[in-house]
Amino acid sequence: MFSSMGYHTFAVSMNLTKEEATRLFNDFKKYRDRTQKICIIECPKYKKDPSGRHYEVKYLGQYKGISWRIRFSNSGFMMNGQYMSCSVKAIINPKILTGEKSYIMAANAGYLERIEEIFNTEAKRISPVLREFGSYSLNRLDYCINIAASEVRTLPVECGKDLPKKIMQLIRYGDIPKKFSMGYDDKYQFYLKSGTVVINCYWKYPELVRDFEECDDLEESRDIIRFEVQYKYPKIIQSIEKIKKNPAKYRIDTIRNLDMQTACDSDEPIEVRDMKCRQSVELLSSCPPIQLSKKMYMINMMADEMCMNVIKNYYNKTIKPGDYYSYHYAERIILNQVSKGEKIYRLTDALKLIREKGGIANAKAGMCGNDLEEFCRSLRDLRKLRINPVLIPDEWGIDHIQNLFDAYYDQLNKEDTLQWSV
C-alpha cells in the first residue's frame, strides 16, 4: 500500500537574546568554514519584520532532512528577566532525517524519539546555543495524506497514467472556505491559504521532478495525490490551548498514542516494541515540567487521530465528501433516493450550475441572501446522498470515481484484514 497519512514536515523554534543569536550565527559560520557542509543565505526582508534580518542555513549536497533559520530583530518580549528579540527555527522532514529517503510516505509521532537523538547530536556539533530538542516548541506542522490513484476502486484500467491528472482536474473544481483565498494557479495543484492555515493538494510527481529528481521514489510518485494541511504558528497555539484545558486527558492520550504507534511498527519484535513504549513513557514521566509539556503537545499534535481529524475536516470543506459521478449517474441516484420533485430540481440545478461555472467556488461567487442559502442547502443534501457536487465530464467516458479519502480507508481495511487472516 503506497497510500499513507500523518505529517511530512514540521518546524520547532526557540527564542534567543540578541547576544545568543549573534553567538549562534558566528558558530554556524565557524562550522561552515571548518566542515564545508553548510551554506548561510540571507533571506529577503519580511513585511511583518522590516527591521529584522533573517538567515537560512542549508546543508550542501544531498538533502539532509533538516535546515535552520535565524531571526535577528529589535522587537521582542521579556522572558525570565531577559529580552528575547531573536529566535532560531529548525525545519525537519522526519523521514529524510531518520534515513528513510522517502518523499511520498508520511510519518507519525513514533518518529519523535529518533528525531530527538539525531537533532541533539547535530546541534552539539554546531553550537551550545542550539541546546537540545526538548528546549524547542512546535512552530509549524504539515499534516498530509498521500493517496495512490491506483488504489481507488471503480476505475477502468484504461485510465492508466492519466488518472492523477484527471483527479486533479476534479479537485481544482472544489470549494474555497471563508477566510481562504487562492494562493497560486497550477493545473496540477489546488492551493488555498488563510492567516493560520495553508491547504495544498497536488500531484506529487511534477513537484519531485522539479525539486528532487534524484529521489528514490520518483517513479512511485507518478501515482500519488497529496492533500496537505499546514498549521502555521497561530493555529498551533490555538490547538495547544485546547489541549491545555484538559491536561489529564492529554496525558492519558499521550501514553495511549505512544502505545498504539509503537505497536504499529511491525518490523520489530513485540518485545522491542514494548520496551520502546515503556522507555518513552518513562522519559515523559522523568522530564522537567517545561520539557514534559512540550513533548506531550508534539505527540498529541502528531498522533494518528489528530492527523485524521485535521485532514478530514479540511478535505470535506474544500474537495467535499462523496464520490464523483457523471451527471446522468448522479441524476439517477437523486431520482432513486429523493421523492419530492422540488428537491430533485434544486439538486440537479445545483449540479448543472457547478458544471457550467467550472467549480463549486465559481458557482458560489457573487451569491448572497436566499440564493446562497439555497445553494449551500443543496450541497448539504448532496453530501447526504454521498454525491460530490463536482461532476465527471461526459467526454471522459467514466461514470464513477470513488472519494479519495474513502478509498484510502477501504485499502487500509483491506490490508488489515489480509494481515489478520495470515
Side-chain angles (χ1 to χ4, degrees):
M1 181 176 176
F2 285 115
S3 298
S4 63
M5 181 166 60
Y7 66 95
H8 68 86
T9 307
F10 72 101
V12 292
S13 62
M14 179 175 62
N15 295 309
L16 302 173
T17 64
K18 187 162 288 186
E19 292 75 16
E20 288 175 323
T22 301
R23 200 183 322 141
L24 175 60
F25 187 63
N26 289 332
D27 285 344
F28 268 120
K29 288 195 288 186
K30 290 176 184 177
Y31 185 75
R32 175 197 61 191
D33 298 340
R34 187 172 71 251
T35 67
Q36 304 297 313
K37 288 183 177 181
I38 62 171
C39 62
I40 303 172
I41 306 163
E42 185 168 5
C43 303
K45 292 286 185 183
Y46 289 2
K47 290 181 180 179
K48 292 183 179 179
D49 189 17
S51 64
R53 291 181 294 124
H54 299 256
Y55 297 91
E56 185 169 14
V57 180
K58 290 187 174 182
Y59 288 82
L60 299 171
Q62 193 171 17
Y63 179 45
K64 189 181 179 70
I66 187 171
S67 62
W68 310 85
R69 291 183 186 174
I70 308 173
R71 177 181 65 89
F72 289 88
S73 182
N74 295 318
S75 59
F77 55 90
M78 295 298 295
M79 188 173 77
N80 297 327
Q82 292 183 304
Y83 188 66
M84 300 290 185
S85 60
C86 305
S87 65
V88 59
K89 180 192 292 185
I91 299 94
I92 296 168
N93 181 313
K95 287 280 183 176
I96 305 299
L97 184 66
T98 56
E100 294 189 26
K101 308 301 180 189
S102 173
Y103 289 85
I104 62 173
M105 298 301 289
N108 59 30
Y111 280 76
L112 277 178
E113 185 179 348
R114 181 67 179 136
I115 288 169
E116 185 170 8
E117 291 175 7
I118 297 170
F119 182 99
N120 292 344
T121 301
E122 188 64 15
K124 191 174 181 180
R125 290 191 186 113
I126 297 168
S127 171
V129 180
L130 287 174
R131 302 189 191 123
E132 293 192 335
F133 187 74
S135 300
Y136 290 73
S137 299
L138 192 60
N139 182 276
R140 195 192 88 197
L141 181 57
D142 296 0
Y143 297 103
C144 71
I145 182 168
N146 302 307
I147 301 173
S150 60
E151 293 172 358
V152 177
R153 296 184 297 108
T154 70
L155 285 168
V157 175
E158 58 266 23
C159 286
K161 293 181 180 179
D162 288 334
L163 182 55
K165 300 178 186 179
K166 291 181 182 297
I167 290 176
M168 281 311 309
Q169 183 176 330
L170 296 175
I171 286 172
R172 281 170 48 79
Y173 288 157
D175 200 1
I176 301 177
K178 288 181 181 179
K179 300 182 180 180
F180 281 83
S181 60
M182 184 75 76
Y184 51 83
D185 198 19
D186 183 280
K187 63 180 179 178
Y188 299 132
Q189 192 164 27
F190 185 51
Y191 186 95
L192 307 176
K193 62 179 182 178
S194 73
T196 60
V197 175
V198 171
I199 298 170
N200 191 9
C201 186
Y202 56 99
W203 181 23
K204 192 65 181 170
Y205 179 71
E207 185 234 12
L208 288 183
V209 168
R210 184 182 66 243
D211 298 331
F212 302 101
E213 192 172 4
E214 301 301 319
C215 72
D216 295 341
D217 42 23
L218 181 64
E219 281 306 307
E220 287 83 351
S221 74
R222 288 181 184 274
D223 212 25
I224 298 293
I225 300 292
R226 169 176 281 180
F227 180 83
E228 64 183 44
V229 181
Q230 181 189 117
Y231 268 23
K232 298 181 184 179
Y233 183 66
K235 192 67 176 179
I236 292 286
I237 294 300
Q238 185 184 54
S239 301
I240 288 176
E241 286 301 317
K242 289 181 180 178
I243 296 173
K244 283 182 178 179
K245 289 179 180 178
N246 195 343
K249 179 182 181 301
Y250 80 70
R251 183 182 290 272
I252 293 169
D253 286 350
T254 300
I255 295 172
R256 178 173 56 85
N257 289 328
L258 277 171
D259 195 14
M260 290 174 61
Q261 286 160 358
T262 306
C264 288
D265 189 359
S266 57
D267 294 334
E268 294 182 326
I270 190 166
E271 297 84 2
V272 176
R273 286 181 266 151
D274 286 345
M275 182 188 68
K276 278 189 173 183
C277 183
R278 286 197 304 274
Q279 288 175 343
S280 298
V281 173
E282 287 169 6
L283 180 63
L284 284 172
S285 303
S286 62
C287 277
I290 186 168
Q291 292 187 15
L292 174 63
S293 296
K294 287 176 180 178
K295 183 153 187 177
M296 290 179 76
Y297 295 148
M298 285 189 196
I299 291 171
N300 276 272
M301 292 291 292
M302 296 172 178
D304 291 349
E305 185 179 359
M306 183 70 169
C307 295
M308 181 193 70
N309 290 338
V310 170
I311 291 167
K312 186 175 182 179
N313 177 39
Y314 286 98
Y315 186 99
N316 288 346
K317 285 181 178 179
T318 54
I319 297 177
K320 300 298 185 186
D323 292 0
Y324 293 108
Y325 295 101
S326 64
Y327 173 76
H328 296 292
Y329 205 105
E331 183 186 41
R332 191 187 314 165
I333 294 172
I334 293 168
L335 290 172
N336 286 340
Q337 298 191 36
V338 178
S339 56
K340 293 182 180 179
E342 178 274 331
K343 185 175 179 180
I344 291 173
Y345 289 126
R346 176 166 55 80
L347 297 185
T348 53
D349 284 349
L351 291 175
K352 290 175 184 176
L353 180 65
I354 292 167
R355 179 173 62 181
E356 177 188 332
K357 296 291 185 179
I360 301 170
N362 290 343
K364 200 166 61 174
M367 284 187 181
C368 59
N370 289 334
D371 289 343
L372 180 59
E373 190 177 325
E374 281 294 284
F375 182 74
C376 291
R377 181 185 169 198
S378 296
L379 294 182
R380 290 192 296 271
D381 289 339
L382 288 167
R383 176 175 180 168
K384 292 175 184 176
L385 295 173
R386 300 202 54 74
I387 298 173
N388 192 299
V390 175
L391 295 169
I392 301 172
D394 293 336
E395 59 268 23
W396 288 7
I398 304 171
D399 284 326
H400 178 210
I401 298 176
Q402 188 184 18
N403 173 282
L404 295 184
F405 203 82
D406 291 344
Y408 168 78
Y409 275 101
D410 281 354
Q411 185 67 18
L412 198 64
N413 291 334
K414 180 181 177 182
E415 296 218 348
D416 284 347
T417 302
L418 288 173
Q419 184 179 3
W420 283 105
S421 62
V422 173

